[in-house]
Amino acid sequence: MVLEGTARALLRRLAVEQAESRIPSIVAALVRDGQVAWFGGRGRVGGEQPGENTQYRIGSITKSMVAVLIMRLREEGQLDLLDPLDKHLPGTPVGDVTIAQLLSHTAGLTAESPGEWWERTPGVPAAELIGSLGSESARHRPGRRYHYSNVGFALLGEIVARRRSAPWEEVLREEVLEPLGMRETTPRPRAPHATGFAVHPWADVLLPEPENDHGAMAPAGQLWSTASDLARWAAFVGGDTGGVLRPETVAEMREPAAVEDGDVWTRGYGLGLQLSRYTGPAGSRRLAGHTGSMPGFLATVWADPADGTGVLFLANTTSGMRASLLTDLLDILTQHEPPLPAEWSPAPADDDLLALTGPWYWGPTAYVCRVLPGRGLSLTPVNAQGRASRFAAQADGTWLGLDGYYAGETLQVVRTVGGVHLDLNTFVFTREPYDAAVPVPGGVDPQGWR
């Protein structure tokens, strides 16, 4: 739990938001190392202050959970992210788009389903939704750009249903929610739950918003949840996967597949997860999670895997909240109670790895090699100008690039009569600048340095 002074500062920020944005009720929480470090609630639900187990609609946060089901199918080998939609859901007019493009909103599909606004009307079965799609459902060439599509996630939910021979929400409960202990996340509301309201723009009066079963469109935003359950979800997104997915799979979901225009991206999308980068008074963060909105409700959950922190809110209002609430809460926490760095302790390293440490040169550019846990290596330019990457040890004695320019490329140690060098996908690193004893870029000019 946070200190009393921190809790007061956090509650004040939440109270200001509820009062100034005129929110009927709101709850928020901060998560550290998988546990709720702070919870706050303001306003009233049924005459009572909302608590950690009060349900709210979470809207498009549902998409991130559907994405996990798709990634589970991928881990089992039942589908590939490069599979065309037609392979698993034949008969649509957009069968050439891939699973990965649907997950990352780069399939070019229309944002909304045909007919009346689906968020305020009862849904239709999957067969009827698919039958209503036509050539106009493709708004952009697949892969051309990021274009958010609720329809795309409706199709992903139907893939889950067909592969599992069960409704997607039942599959979600059995394979994800129950194992994670998220028993208060449901397709329809259960007591105690907030009622969704629209707040009049010029008067302090409310209009109840409709709540329906959205049928085939439900995977785009059907679910209800609580602050307690979303705290567990924040921990999951941050890497505490509880065996539901491999941690490296969730890390893959957090990688940017599409970003918004700009010299430096601040908003992006991975595989079913929204991404955000921001710099505040307490430093920079790179967040993953999802926002959600349905008539009468707003919600967001973010996780920062770098320090095991999560933040979330749930509110029963259609619009009007300031986007800065959650980053403000994170900044307050970091300013009042900055996390302690993990204690350094020595770690064993085999002699063959120690022999690789120190300076290496790609041509005239100096790099330094360091040993990482698990026989990993890092190559970093000495002057910080150039390509830096980390490498994971492989069973065959090579190393696989994890990030940067060399992600996915193979690093190997080559020993010859003349010495030793590193071969990184034809890039040769030597112990001396342009070492004449090794292949290109060895000392090509026979006269050498002069």
Side-chain angles (χ1 to χ4, degrees):
M1 299 298 290
V2 299
L3 300 174
E4 183 178 351
T6 308
R8 174 66 180 179
L10 293 167
L11 182 60
R12 184 182 186 282
R13 177 63 185 89
L14 185 66
V16 167
E17 191 66 38
Q18 190 270 339
E20 295 184 357
S21 297
R22 300 186 302 139
I23 304 169
S25 73
I26 184 171
V27 295
L30 284 162
V31 181
R32 265 190 169 172
D33 299 323
Q35 303 296 318
V36 176
W38 171 81
F39 169 82
R42 299 289 289 182
R44 291 292 181 268
V45 172
E48 302 291 333
Q49 190 172 73
E52 290 186 53
N53 292 315
T54 303
Q55 267 197 339
Y56 293 78
R57 286 200 82 169
I58 62 172
S60 290
I61 298 173
T62 303
K63 292 182 176 71
S64 61
M65 299 180 184
V66 171
V68 167
L69 296 177
I70 292 292
M71 299 304 285
R72 282 178 59 84
L73 291 171
R74 200 280 296 269
E75 283 192 348
E76 296 171 12
Q78 296 202 43
L79 57 75
D80 190 280
L81 297 186
L82 297 181
D83 286 346
L85 175 62
D86 235 11
K87 181 175 180 178
H88 304 282
L89 194 61
T92 75
V94 291
D96 58 335
V97 305
T98 68
I99 303 299
Q101 288 170 339
L102 290 170
L103 286 170
S104 60
H105 295 288
T106 58
L109 300 190
T110 179
E112 313 299 344
S113 57
E116 295 181 310
W117 185 20
W118 69 273
E119 292 183 357
R120 293 179 65 91
T121 54
V124 299
E128 186 174 337
L129 171 65
I130 293 172
S132 70
L133 301 178
S135 58
E136 73 283 353
S137 299
R139 305 291 188 178
H140 307 281
R141 169 176 52 80
R144 176 190 173 199
R145 60 175 297 164
Y146 170 80
H147 184 67
Y148 194 87
S149 175
N150 288 298
V151 172
F153 270 80
L155 298 176
L156 289 170
E158 183 60 14
I159 289 175
V160 171
R162 295 194 183 189
R163 299 300 298 180
R164 294 298 200 216
S165 300
W168 71 272
E169 62 269 26
E170 291 184 12
V171 180
L172 180 69
R173 177 178 56 79
E174 294 175 4
E175 298 188 10
V176 178
L177 300 179
E178 285 287 344
L180 294 179
M182 297 173 59
R183 297 178 178 85
E184 305 306 321
T185 301
T186 58
R188 301 302 295 278
R190 62 95 183 108
H193 69 83
T195 298
F197 290 113
V199 181
H200 194 285
W202 315 122
D204 293 333
V205 294
L206 304 177
L207 178 71
E209 292 272 26
E211 186 276 328
N212 296 290
D213 185 335
H214 296 294
M217 290 297 295
Q222 180 76 31
L223 295 177
W224 294 69
S225 192
T226 65
S228 179
D229 272 16
L230 282 194
R232 180 63 187 93
W233 189 248
F236 174 88
V237 172
D240 181 7
T241 63
V244 170
L245 281 178
R246 293 195 292 263
E248 55 266 33
T249 299
V250 178
E252 180 184 0
M253 296 174 71
R254 296 193 304 258
E255 295 173 1
V259 297
E260 295 185 7
D261 291 339
D263 293 334
V264 178
W265 71 270
T266 57
R267 295 281 180 173
Y269 212 92
L271 297 175
L273 291 175
Q274 288 177 323
L275 310 173
S276 176
R277 297 196 331 187
Y278 87 100
T279 300
S284 298
R285 288 186 180 271
R286 179 164 167 167
L287 305 173
H290 218 290
T291 59
S293 67
M294 291 295 283
F297 292 95
L298 296 172
T300 298
V301 57
W302 291 119
D304 185 347
D307 65 359
T309 302
V311 63
L312 64 97
F313 80 84
L314 297 157
N316 61 333
T317 184
T318 297
S319 63
M321 284 189 58
R322 287 172 288 205
S324 63
L325 172 63
L326 293 190
T327 53
D328 287 350
L329 294 179
L330 284 172
D331 285 339
I332 290 170
L333 178 65
T334 304
Q335 289 174 316
H336 283 71
E337 300 180 33
L340 299 177
E343 287 187 355
W344 178 86
S345 61
D350 295 336
D351 290 344
D352 63 325
L353 291 182
L354 290 177
L356 298 177
T357 61
W360 291 87
Y361 297 88
W362 181 59
T365 305
Y367 278 72
V368 64
C369 179
R370 295 181 173 87
V371 177
L372 302 177
R375 291 185 59 82
L377 297 173
S378 71
L379 268 178
T380 307
V382 171
N383 63 1
Q385 301 296 317
R387 298 162 175 167
S389 287
R390 296 171 302 129
F391 299 85
Q394 304 298 293
D396 63 359
T398 65
W399 284 263
L400 182 68
L402 298 178
D403 47 26
Y405 183 82
Y406 300 113
E409 305 292 357
T410 297
L411 169 68
Q412 57 183 328
V413 179
V414 180
R415 303 183 189 279
T416 65
V417 175
V420 61
H421 64 271
L422 307 178
D423 188 311
L424 181 48
N425 193 29
T426 76
F427 289 173
V428 174
F429 290 76
T430 60
R431 284 300 196 182
E432 300 292 337
Y434 280 130
D435 187 343
V438 303
V440 172
V444 176
D445 193 309
Q447 297 185 47
W449 294 93
R450 56 191 182 276

